[in-house]
Amino acid sequence: MSLRARLIPLLLAGLIGLPGSMARAQQAEEETFSTLIADRVEITADGQLVASGNVEAIQGDAQLKASRIIYDQDADVLQIEGPIILKQGENSLVLADSAELSPDLRDGLLRSARVVLDQQLQLAAVEINRVGGRYTQLYKTVASSCEVCAAHPVPLWQIRASRIVHDDLEKQLYFDDAVFEVMGLPVMYLPQLRLPDPTVKRATGFLTPSLRSTDELGFGFKLPYFIRLGDHRDLTLTPYVSANRTRTMEMRYRQAFVNGEFEANGAISRDDIKADSLRAYLFADGEFDLPRDFKLEFDIETTSDDTYLLDYDYSDKDRLDSAVTLSRVRRDRLFVAELIGYRSLRSSENNQTQPYVVGDLTWRNRFRPARIGGTATLNFDAHAHQRRSEEDVIGRDVGRISGQADWRRSWVGPWGMLLSTEALAIVDYTGVRHDSNYPDAVTQITPYGVAELRWPWVKQGTRASHILEPVVQVIWSPDAADETPKDESTQLEFDEGNLFSMSRFPAGDERERGLRTNIGLSWTRYDPTGWSMGATVGRIYRAEDLGQFDGYASFDGTRSDWLTAVQVTLPNRMTLTNRALFDDEFDFTKNEMRLDWRSDMLDLSTSYIWMEPSEVEDRDSVTNEWTLDADWQVSERWRSTFDWRYDLELERSASARMGLEYRTECATFDFSVRRRFTSSDQIRPTTDYNFEVQLAGFGNVGNGRARPSHPGCRG
């Protein structure tokens, strides 16, 4: 017959009267492929079923395509002529010239075959033997994830083996007599080798090694070993050996829970830098969802000495903080309790006189009063910090409890004016120990009264839309208050975020006082083509200089510096931001600029900052720095990164890092170099080199798909 047919072969055999009972036919039907599609199907005189012309056979999750299939019912064997395409599930594909398979496609022999796993790893063999639908044995085999074509006949890397066994159930590849070759040259021989196939996300075994060279440690080698401890936890151990007799064991432990997760990273070392001591560090963090919408978060940061993290490039942090936080956030309520332990690694700071433990508690409740309208908020805050030293003044410990009641209401006035009023009362109780300059306890009440006027102007046109909004805010609070220690409000900022704040101090150890007026003007232009521009200018006027901001050039006196901020945004391309503080004579106290550029091939960020010296902020010289961060996709295969920080005042680089990555469809080569130019009593300038190679096709890497093929293979 010449037709495009779909049939059950054994049922067809029963209809034309082939020998065998109905029981035998039923049993064979269960074992044979359930669907057959072909241009031509015929039964020969000796009882063989022959399908030819665009043959497709389906049995379970196995799909077979061939030019011809001969089914011998007596021998219970499929004789298949190629080209053959056998697809098992979504991640396994077999290509062959000819085959002899069982009717269920689970067992048999394939000749001149090639196996493709997860569209990445290719296994080419003279002969493939399928056993039990689970094991695929390949003989005289070459394995690689590199594409081979006429222009590039030799793959970048490949593994030759006398035999490879693929365990489809365990998702593992077993190699016998494996030889690893690069550019056709043998570089390593392993009598036995086991690797996960590309579909495996987590499997016990060695990970990609890396090379590292530093001025302090010399040339070194890292070989990570991943241990799968179950479906929800794992451990990675990484021995690190370097030329300067450095012996290090790095560790990473991860575990996922039903309601959270936990991760710990650490290392332990013996080296020549500190030959008489054991060096180590531990960073751990976790978060868990608790009943009634509570959330628990914690992190641990500790190290054996002040330079260990920098020597081994584990972290650039110079202050460690270990914290535990309990929080709950709801629509009108907030609760946060936090306990933090601090340790400074800076040579200029003494951990005996720095606060080493800090506790904070915050509670907020917002509601709408029924009779007076508006929005009311009740706040409760508690804070405490303690030093190890008990010496007078330098060993000061402070605790504070604050209660706050706030009410605010707004009205829309004539000509679109927005009028607002706010009333606030704060009660602070502060306890002080080990400081004779302050009483043991201070209680004070600070009321605030606020009146605010906003008048937005909007102009919409065919060429652009403009929004202009002047703001005037008048705030009153008492001029005098009892003095309390100022340990928290030591760094003050002046920007658009606090221009209209009732207090410019970031913490409750100091409240801004006196009669003052905050004025500002903002303008925004929206262009129909997609770009926009915004500008803000503002200032603070005080009725009297109360001396609260002595030493802060941007705030002190009866008039603050002018605050100006400009932002230009181009559609999907560039954002430019500049913020400056200057007085009436245009003498700048601070100027910072940031430029961000985003495109398909280039991500570029650069910033510049200039600040005058400040004794109260512990800056004894001018800050004048330029930073550059670039990520450039040079081509389809090449990618480069560059980070640079340059001190314009000292006319020297502070730090620099450069990375170069070459990526093919089968491998990734990553090289980076980092230079630290700064020095102190504890550290000296160093240069670090890192080199890593990652082979695609073993384990789940990246998105699990090969990169685009080599341009020379595209035809």
Side-chain angles (χ1 to χ4, degrees):
M1 63 185 80
S2 178
L3 70 164
R4 188 72 171 165
R6 172 176 297 190
L7 26 107
I8 306 297
L10 270 298
L11 180 58
L12 175 62
L15 289 175
I16 63 176
L18 289 177
S21 64
M22 292 299 295
R24 180 183 176 190
Q26 182 178 356
Q27 179 183 359
E29 179 182 347
E30 294 174 354
E31 296 176 352
T32 311
F33 38 81
S34 58
T35 302
L36 176 69
I37 304 175
D39 291 337
R40 181 179 179 84
V41 178
E42 61 181 336
I43 306 298
T44 64
D46 56 356
Q48 291 183 337
L49 184 144
V50 180
S52 59
N54 299 316
V55 181
E56 296 183 28
I58 301 174
Q59 172 63 35
D61 63 348
Q63 301 179 18
L64 175 68
K65 294 183 179 181
S67 60
R68 190 172 186 226
I69 293 179
I70 301 174
Y71 175 58
D72 188 340
Q73 183 177 350
D74 293 331
D76 201 28
V77 172
L78 296 175
Q79 298 286 345
I80 307 173
E81 298 178 4
I84 299 171
I85 301 176
L86 175 59
K87 184 177 181 182
Q88 187 78 36
E90 295 183 356
N91 300 313
S92 179
L93 183 68
V94 180
L95 308 174
D97 290 342
S98 62
E100 294 178 3
L101 298 177
S102 62
D104 58 5
L105 307 179
R106 294 169 57 86
D107 301 285
L109 187 68
L110 297 98
R111 302 178 186 87
S112 299
R114 187 159 55 102
V115 178
V116 182
L117 300 176
D118 198 34
Q119 301 183 29
Q120 293 186 80
L121 184 63
Q122 302 181 50
L123 309 172
V126 174
E127 186 176 277
I128 295 180
N129 185 19
R130 291 175 57 84
V131 181
R134 171 177 174 177
Y135 299 101
T136 302
Q137 301 184 63
L138 302 94
Y139 299 93
K140 297 182 180 179
T141 307
V142 176
S144 179
S145 57
C146 302
E147 185 171 349
V148 179
C149 59
H152 298 273
V154 179
L156 181 63
W157 68 266
Q158 62 184 2
I159 300 177
R160 292 186 177 272
S162 61
R163 186 181 71 149
I164 298 178
V165 178
H166 178 226
D167 187 340
D168 189 60
L169 180 62
E170 296 294 334
K171 307 298 183 184
Q172 298 292 312
L173 293 164
Y174 300 89
F175 294 76
D176 293 339
D177 298 323
V179 178
F180 182 74
E181 297 181 356
V182 177
M183 303 286 292
L185 300 176
V187 296
M188 183 184 299
Y189 169 77
L190 295 170
Q192 299 288 332
L193 177 64
R194 178 179 62 85
L195 295 170
D197 77 18
T199 63
V200 174
K201 294 182 179 180
R202 300 167 63 249
T204 299
F206 287 101
L207 303 179
T208 305
S210 62
L211 304 177
R212 182 171 186 258
S213 178
T214 73
D215 295 343
E216 294 281 359
L217 302 173
F219 180 81
F221 177 78
K222 292 184 178 183
L223 182 60
Y225 187 76
F226 180 85
I227 304 173
R228 182 179 181 272
L229 301 176
D231 293 338
H232 309 293
R233 55 179 180 161
D234 55 57
L235 174 67
T236 303
L237 300 176
T238 306
Y240 173 30
V241 180
S242 73
N244 292 358
R245 294 195 298 276
T246 297
R247 302 295 180 265
T248 297
M249 177 62 74
E250 300 175 355
M251 177 273 297
R252 183 191 70 179
Y253 176 80
R254 302 183 301 179
Q255 184 166 356
F257 301 87
V258 175
N259 62 333
E261 58 186 11
F262 170 77
E263 179 174 339
N265 292 271
I268 184 168
S269 302
R270 281 198 179 276
D271 55 37
D272 291 348
I273 301 176
K274 294 183 180 294
D276 299 331
S277 61
L278 193 67
R279 312 181 75 189
Y281 92 100
L282 175 65
F283 280 14
D285 62 84
E287 58 179 47
F288 295 89
D289 295 326
L290 303 181
R292 302 183 64 182
D293 299 329
F294 280 96
K295 186 174 185 178
L296 176 66
E297 300 174 273
F298 64 89
D299 72 275
I300 301 171
E301 297 180 353
T302 183
T303 183
S304 59
D305 57 82
D306 294 347
T307 63
Y308 182 64
L309 298 176
L310 287 176
D311 290 341
Y312 285 80
D313 197 25
Y314 291 135
S315 175
D316 292 331
K317 297 190 68 170
D318 55 7
R319 287 194 182 107
L320 304 183
D321 54 274
S322 301
V324 56
T325 305
L326 180 65
S327 62
R328 183 173 71 175
V329 180
R330 292 183 172 178
R331 185 177 183 274
D332 295 320
R333 287 185 177 88
L334 169 68
F335 172 83
V336 179
E338 186 174 40
L339 185 66
I340 309 174
Y342 287 99
R343 175 186 171 185
S344 177
L345 305 180
R346 298 183 178 183
S347 58
S348 59
E349 296 179 347
N350 187 347
N351 282 298
Q352 295 297 315
T353 58
Q354 294 284 329
Y356 79 98
V357 60
V358 177
D360 285 288
L361 186 145
T362 300
W363 176 81
R364 302 277 187 271
N365 184 23
R366 184 182 61 187
F367 60 96
R368 295 183 178 276
R371 295 186 178 180
I372 59 176
T375 302
T377 306
L378 297 177
N379 301 337
F380 175 81
D381 297 282
H383 170 85
H385 59 263
Q386 185 177 357
R387 294 172 169 87
R388 290 185 172 88
S389 173
E390 294 185 358
E391 294 185 43
D392 188 36
V393 182
I394 63 174
R396 177 176 61 232
D397 300 329
V398 178
R400 183 181 65 255
I401 298 175
S402 302
Q404 176 178 316
D406 175 57
W407 172 80
R408 181 182 179 90
R409 186 173 180 180
S410 301
W411 298 268
V412 178
W415 305 297
M417 294 182 179
L418 183 63
L419 308 172
S420 301
T421 184
E422 185 173 359
L424 174 66
I426 304 175
V427 180
D428 293 311
Y429 173 83
T430 304
V432 183
R433 295 174 53 197
H434 307 136
D435 193 335
S436 57
N437 296 323
Y438 299 94
D440 293 341
V442 178
T443 302
Q444 52 188 349
I445 300 175
T446 307
Y448 285 88
V450 182
E452 182 180 281
L453 171 64
R454 294 176 179 266
W455 195 3
W457 294 63
V458 179
K459 178 185 178 182
Q460 292 182 335
T462 57
R463 301 182 63 181
S465 298
H466 300 264
I467 300 177
L468 184 69
E469 184 181 43
V471 182
V472 178
Q473 185 185 61
V474 180
I475 302 177
W476 172 88
S477 60
D479 293 345
D482 295 330
E483 290 293 327
T484 58
K486 299 175 182 60
D487 289 335
E488 303 163 79
S489 299
T490 58
Q491 302 288 327
L492 303 186
E493 291 289 336
F494 188 25
D495 53 33
E496 308 95 303
N498 64 6
L499 174 60
F500 298 103
S501 297
M502 280 183 282
S503 177
R504 250 62 62 165
F505 294 100
D509 56 348
E510 180 74 5
R511 311 284 183 183
E512 191 171 350
R513 304 189 299 268
L515 178 63
R516 55 201 179 274
T517 301
N518 305 322
I519 64 170
L521 177 67
S522 64
W523 166 73
T524 306
R525 181 188 191 276
Y526 296 97
D527 194 272
T529 59
W531 71 274
S532 63
M533 178 178 180
T536 300
V537 60
R539 199 178 199 182
I540 306 168
Y541 290 91
R542 298 184 180 88
E544 184 179 352
D545 181 14
L546 303 178
Q548 284 189 285
F549 297 97
D550 289 345
Y552 296 97
S554 300
F555 290 107
D556 60 1
T558 58
R559 294 177 296 181
S560 73
D561 283 350
W562 286 101
L563 165 68
T564 60
V566 178
Q567 184 176 74
V568 179
T569 302
L570 301 181
N572 303 322
R573 288 292 178 182
M574 186 187 74
T575 301
L576 173 65
T577 304
N578 192 88
R579 182 182 295 111
L581 300 173
F582 53 85
D583 58 19
D584 292 336
E585 284 72 37
F586 287 95
D587 292 330
F588 285 77
T589 56
K590 182 179 181 180
N591 186 70
E592 55 182 326
M593 182 200 69
R594 182 175 181 86
L595 174 67
D596 295 301
W597 177 276
R598 298 289 183 267
S599 68
D600 296 336
M601 302 296 290
L602 177 65
D603 289 346
L604 177 66
S605 298
T606 182
S607 62
Y608 169 79
I609 185 169
W610 184 93
M611 292 187 296
E612 68 175 12
S614 173
E615 182 178 352
V616 295
E617 294 184 345
D618 198 22
R619 292 197 314 273
D620 54 2
S621 60
V622 171
T623 300
N624 189 10
E625 284 190 354
W626 173 49
T627 62
L628 176 65
D629 299 328
D631 188 335
W632 182 24
Q633 191 72 40
V634 183
S635 65
E636 188 179 71
R637 294 183 177 274
W638 289 95
R639 175 174 171 264
S640 64
T641 59
F642 184 73
D643 303 330
W644 186 29
R645 186 162 62 92
Y646 187 81
D647 193 323
L648 295 169
E649 191 68 21
L650 299 178
E651 297 183 344
R652 70 178 187 185
S653 297
S655 64
R657 184 190 296 264
M658 183 186 70
L660 189 62
E661 179 186 280
Y662 178 74
R663 181 183 291 259
T664 71
E665 77 283 352
C666 60
T668 300
F669 303 88
D670 196 345
F671 173 77
S672 65
V673 57
R674 181 181 70 110
R675 174 68 178 175
R676 186 177 67 240
F677 297 89
T678 56
S679 62
S680 66
D681 296 336
Q682 296 175 305
I683 60 175
R684 64 179 185 177
T686 60
T687 304
D688 295 356
Y689 301 90
N690 284 277
F691 180 68
E692 293 184 2
V693 179
Q694 191 173 63
L695 303 180
F698 300 114
N700 188 282
V701 180
N703 60 7
R705 292 292 179 266
R707 298 281 293 181
S709 60
H710 195 284
C713 296
R714 293 179 178 175

